Amino acid sequence: MTPLLQVEDLSVRFTTHQGVNDAVKGVSFEVGHGEVLGIVGESASGKSVTAMSIPDLLPTPPAEIIGGRILFDERDVRKMSSLERRQLRGREIGVVFQDPMTALNSVRRVGVQLMEGMRYHLDLDRTEAHRRAVDLLEQVGIPSPAERMKAYPHELSGGMRQRVMIASALACSPKLLIADEPTTALDVTVQAQIVDMVRSITADRDMSVIWITHDLSLLSDFADRTLVMYGGRVMEEAPTATLFRHAEHPYTAGLLASIVDTDTRRDQQLVSIPGTPPIHGAALDGCPFSPRCSYGVEKCPSVHPPLERVGDGHKVACWVRPFASKAPNGG
Amino acid sequence: MVGRAVSRRDYEEPLLRVEDLVKHYPSSGGGRRNSQAVRAVDGVSLQVETAETFALVGESGCGKSTLGRLVVRLEEPTSGTVQFMGSDLTNLGRRQLRPHRRDMQVVFQNPHSSLNPRMTVRQIVEEPLVVHDIDDRIGRVDRLLELVGLPPAVADRHAHEFSGGQRQRIGLARALSTEPTFLLLDEPVSALDVSIQAQILNLLVELRDELSLTYFFISHDLGVVRYLADRVAVMYLGRIVELASVFDLFASPAHPYTEALMSAVPSRDPEAGSQRIILKGELPSAASPPSGCRFRTRCPMARPECATDEPELRLVEGDHLVACHFAEEMMEKHR
């Protein structure tokens, strides 16, 4: 079966008065039907830009897709007409942002906003759209959904707004849900509620998910596969369990080691990655992580290593692969 | 050089003693008669010993930042007292408070908004010295920068030229400039990238050990708290629900809220997810908290008496304080 989404060699450039920034450079990946793909990265890793280029949600200018192909359900997104793209966004791809207020209109009632997409894309009448909107609010865990239809976004808590946003993304039963750090601004107990809810709804409907986060731990029991990005490039891609056990890229290994959680030992200094992430994307021709990498060789800063298959579904972009010998599935 | 308010050991322990502290804000309803006050901090008592790291954890709206601000008197309490190094800060005027300010400094969460972008790093770090009339400034900025791991060359650049982690180092250098004994750290690493967080946490540990600093550490991140703190207080809706040594708290959380909070933290271990406690419902409003136990509306253990009897924060075992009628049952579960 062809994957639902195929991204091939995607490059995105931002041109501003401050100069040119290659935010995403040569990124390729796939998302299967019903699969949950996690994209993890720090600031300026290109994770959001990559995801937002799929439903054509990048502001152009300053952004421009300068290369690559995006195939959604075997259709080339970049060759679509603007009408086709609008249908793609509303019907086939649902998007959830970190801040729900970027998508919700603060002066319109929640219910009206929920019904709008369904009436446009699914051609439903008022009564039917209203019924489905109430259903949706209930599914995403909003108490007294019929009354909440009349609420304005500011009358809801952050967690509730994010639930409304998820309801609106799911309204037209999309094939793919793109969630860009939807729980980052929320408390951990609310985050747990929301991850739990999204997991069960998307699994029930066999929906594919791209979940973008800076928190690798969040993906451990959620994502089937995880893509690790840094400085606009893919560093490593693997089934999530493999990534946690046998990360091969020095960046992934460093990121895993620097996670401070309740299993971290108190009597030891924390492992940290020296230096700071690049402010812009791929500024180097070579590996963007090379200035902070302790395993680098001479060609690292000048020649970018290809993303090579090293095991079952496991790909790594590193000339050195210092941790490769530890991996039983390597080579 | 102006002297300190109190010489460093002329007071009875503990360093900080907070008693029955309350902060109510008029509700957003403005001057309306019947509008209820938001009870941000509602009767908190705690003590912090010299050179310990005391952590305050809780979720947004629990009152932890307000409590922090009350402790260093960036806010006036509605009632209750704050004693620092033996002096009652609650009744001091601005001028009388100033010498104490030298001893208690603050580092905020957002390194992008807490440093003045028009000032050079030298001006930022030096400013508290000017305010407190501390003369001996030559070389001091360089030494402070070195202390936080920045090269002296950065002194003449502006704060906005630096990344989040470096700005947090600048904020620390500034806070340390007056040689304080006590630092209020309000979510100092939450805005930083994961790979940078560990750098700053290591620095905080180094500084604490080297300078015998007392930290009042506010965080929502239990991993960070477990790594850094000696004792931990858990807050919910303006009240402390549990207070214990970091070992006791993590080994046997005795309040259902603490347990839920711990289980909600994402873990590297995919198995952890299956035991996750998903809390129902939402945080109630701090203007009208539930009767009895404030957590009861979301508590998986709640029983009828929880709606009528508010549980006191009481000693359950050793120095483990818990505000739950069923703390003993909870503890039994962890044995």
Side-chain angles (χ1 to χ4, degrees):
Chain A
M1 196 164 164
T2 327
L4 176 67
L5 175 74
Q6 291 165 280
V7 173
E8 291 166 8
D9 206 22
L10 177 74
S11 293
V12 183
R13 173 171 288 174
F14 282 71
T15 311
T16 63
H17 63 277
Q18 287 170 319
V20 170
N21 167 22
D22 286 321
V24 170
K25 223 170 173 179
V27 165
S28 303
F29 64 91
E30 293 176 350
V31 182
H33 292 270
E35 188 182 35
V36 179
L37 176 77
I39 302 184
V40 70
E42 301 180 279
S43 12
S45 62
K47 57 187 191 299
S48 298
V49 174
T50 299
M52 290 311 147
S53 55
I54 300 161
D56 192 31
L57 280 175
L58 291 175
T60 47
E64 187 194 355
I65 296 181
I66 55 168
R69 278 212 307 173
I70 299 167
L71 295 175
F72 186 84
D73 231 1
E74 298 177 54
R75 286 164 294 154
D76 190 333
V77 173
R78 294 186 63 200
K79 289 184 181 149
M80 286 181 180
S81 70
S82 61
L83 178 68
E84 285 174 309
R85 280 190 219 186
R86 194 155 62 209
Q87 278 167 348
L88 177 79
R89 265 198 301 270
R91 265 204 84 148
E92 300 185 79
I93 302 180
V95 185
V96 181
F97 302 94
Q98 178 176 342
D99 177 5
M101 292 316 288
T102 53
L104 295 176
N105 186 331
S106 52
V107 296
R108 301 182 66 207
R109 295 179 197 276
V110 161
V112 176
Q113 299 187 55
L114 263 177
M115 288 159 59
E116 191 171 55
M118 286 189 279
R119 295 190 68 190
Y120 175 85
H121 289 291
L122 306 179
D123 201 24
L124 300 179
D125 64 28
R126 264 195 85 80
T127 329
E128 180 60 12
H130 189 274
R131 195 188 62 76
R132 285 179 65 161
V134 174
D135 266 4
L136 271 166
L137 289 180
E138 184 159 20
Q139 279 176 48
V140 298
I142 290 186
S144 7
E147 283 147 55
R148 294 303 171 112
M149 290 281 286
K150 293 180 217 124
Y152 289 96
H154 73 264
E155 296 174 306
L156 305 174
S157 69
M160 284 296 153
R161 269 183 229 156
Q162 200 53 287
R163 288 173 195 269
V164 170
M165 168 113 201
I166 291 167
S168 131
L170 296 176
C172 301
S173 303
K175 296 180 180 125
L176 173 68
L177 177 73
I178 298 178
D180 188 3
E181 304 239 24
T183 57
T184 303
L186 304 175
D187 285 314
V188 280
T189 57
V190 183
Q191 169 170 285
Q193 290 172 340
I194 287 189
V195 170
D196 195 53
M197 178 265 287
V198 170
R199 193 205 324 249
S200 78
I201 292 182
T202 53
D204 282 353
R205 303 186 181 188
D206 204 27
M207 197 181 285
S208 307
V209 179
I210 297 179
W211 189 282
I212 300 154
T213 180
H214 67 283
D215 185 353
L216 201 43
S217 310
L218 187 65
L219 300 173
S220 73
D221 62 342
F222 180 29
D224 300 309
R225 271 184 313 124
T226 295
L227 203 65
V228 181
M229 290 190 67
Y230 187 87
R233 304 252 198 192
V234 176
M235 302 278 106
E236 186 159 8
E237 181 197 323
T240 308
T242 308
L243 197 77
F244 275 83
R245 278 196 294 268
H246 312 292
E248 287 203 12
H249 198 285
Y251 173 62
T252 317
L255 201 59
L256 277 166
S258 54
I259 294 176
V260 184
D261 61 17
T262 47
D263 301 320
T264 305
R265 289 189 54 173
R266 274 171 61 93
D267 54 353
Q268 283 173 358
Q269 218 195 19
L270 296 173
V271 179
S272 66
I273 305 176
T276 51
I279 296 170
H280 295 305
L284 294 171
D285 289 330
C287 173
F289 187 59
S290 55
R292 299 175 73 190
C293 185
S294 10
Y295 303 94
V297 292
E298 206 183 333
K299 65 177 164 184
C300 291
S302 50
V303 192
H304 189 74
L307 189 66
E308 277 184 324
R309 188 179 175 278
V310 298
D312 199 9
H314 192 176
K315 295 174 186 171
V316 181
C318 178
W319 292 119
V320 187
R321 287 172 53 209
F323 307 111
S325 55
K326 288 181 198 158
N329 61 347
Chain B
M1 195 194 238
V2 173
R4 286 172 187 277
V6 183
S7 78
R8 290 210 168 176
R9 286 290 173 169
D10 282 352
Y11 60 92
E12 303 249 319
E13 305 284 346
L15 183 71
L16 177 78
R17 188 192 294 268
V18 169
E19 258 160 58
D20 206 18
L21 207 57
V22 172
K23 178 69 183 179
H24 289 180
Y25 294 103
S27 89
S28 49
R32 271 187 289 156
R33 279 225 180 130
N34 297 327
S35 65
Q36 289 204 302
V38 173
R39 295 146 80 167
V41 173
D42 210 13
V44 166
S45 301
L46 56 88
Q47 297 179 356
V48 180
E49 306 291 335
T50 302
E52 85 167 331
T53 295
F54 185 91
L56 198 57
V57 299
E59 300 185 281
S60 11
C62 73
K64 58 188 191 299
S65 287
T66 305
L67 180 55
R69 294 171 66 85
L70 290 169
V71 160
V72 296
R73 269 222 34 203
L74 284 172
E75 304 241 10
E76 303 292 319
T78 307
S79 65
T81 57
V82 176
Q83 280 180 50
F84 180 71
M85 291 171 99
S87 333
D88 187 348
L89 301 188
T90 6
N91 297 313
L92 297 182
R94 278 179 78 94
R95 186 175 289 270
Q96 294 160 302
L97 203 56
R98 185 175 280 186
H100 295 284
R101 294 240 191 260
R102 264 189 72 169
D103 287 315
M104 33 182 20
Q105 292 284 325
V106 189
V107 177
F108 293 101
Q109 170 177 8
N110 191 336
H112 298 276
S113 60
S114 56
L115 303 177
N116 186 335
R118 296 191 186 194
M119 288 165 75
T120 64
V121 172
R122 179 180 305 282
Q123 288 168 327
I124 289 169
V125 175
E126 213 172 36
E127 196 181 33
L129 300 175
V130 178
V131 171
H132 288 284
D133 285 324
I134 300 169
D135 289 333
D136 170 35
R137 271 176 257 169
I138 301 156
R140 199 143 165 176
V141 172
D142 291 351
R143 281 203 304 279
L144 284 162
L145 291 176
E146 196 192 330
L147 194 63
V148 298
L150 290 171
V154 307
D156 298 312
R157 289 163 60 189
H158 289 83
H160 69 84
E161 298 172 49
F162 297 93
S163 65
Q166 287 165 320
R167 284 187 218 207
Q168 214 49 314
R169 289 178 194 270
I170 296 167
L172 265 166
R174 173 187 166 99
L176 293 173
S177 65
T178 62
E179 299 178 354
T181 44
F182 178 94
L183 275 191
L184 168 65
L185 302 161
D186 190 354
E187 303 264 16
V189 298
S190 0
L192 305 177
D193 274 323
V194 180
S195 72
I196 303 303
Q197 256 192 22
Q199 291 178 7
I200 299 298
L201 288 172
N202 282 335
L203 175 64
L204 287 172
V205 171
E206 266 170 49
L207 292 170
R208 175 181 68 187
D209 296 348
E210 207 167 304
L211 307 172
S212 315
L213 294 167
T214 307
Y215 287 163
F216 194 86
F217 187 83
I218 298 174
S219 180
H220 69 281
D221 186 332
L222 286 170
V224 168
V225 163
R226 185 179 164 281
Y227 181 74
L228 203 66
D230 299 311
R231 282 195 308 139
V232 185
V234 182
M235 274 186 91
Y236 186 81
L237 271 186
R239 291 246 183 182
I240 290 178
V241 296
E242 186 161 6
L243 198 165
S245 77
V246 73
F247 301 104
D248 291 343
L249 190 86
F250 283 87
S252 55
H255 195 286
Y257 177 62
T258 313
E259 194 184 39
L261 202 57
M262 283 181 185
S263 88
V265 179
S267 164
R268 274 174 274 193
D269 173 14
E271 299 301 307
S274 54
Q275 296 136 36
R276 194 156 285 152
I277 302 167
I278 307 281
L279 281 181
K280 53 187 181 190
E282 290 226 283
L283 187 71
S285 154
S288 50
S291 64
C293 172
R294 292 174 187 212
F295 185 56
R296 71 171 165 88
T297 51
R298 307 175 70 197
C299 181
M301 296 182 71
R303 293 170 210 181
E305 58 262 49
C306 301
T308 48
D309 306 337
E310 176 154 18
E312 290 290 313
L313 189 64
R314 61 193 171 94
L315 266 183
V316 173
E317 199 177 89
D319 46 13
H320 197 145
L321 291 159
V322 190
C324 173
H325 298 308
F326 312 110
E328 284 80 5
E329 257 175 65
M330 289 284 296
M331 285 205 155
E332 209 47 52
K333 218 170 73 178
H334 297 292
R335 272 186 241 278

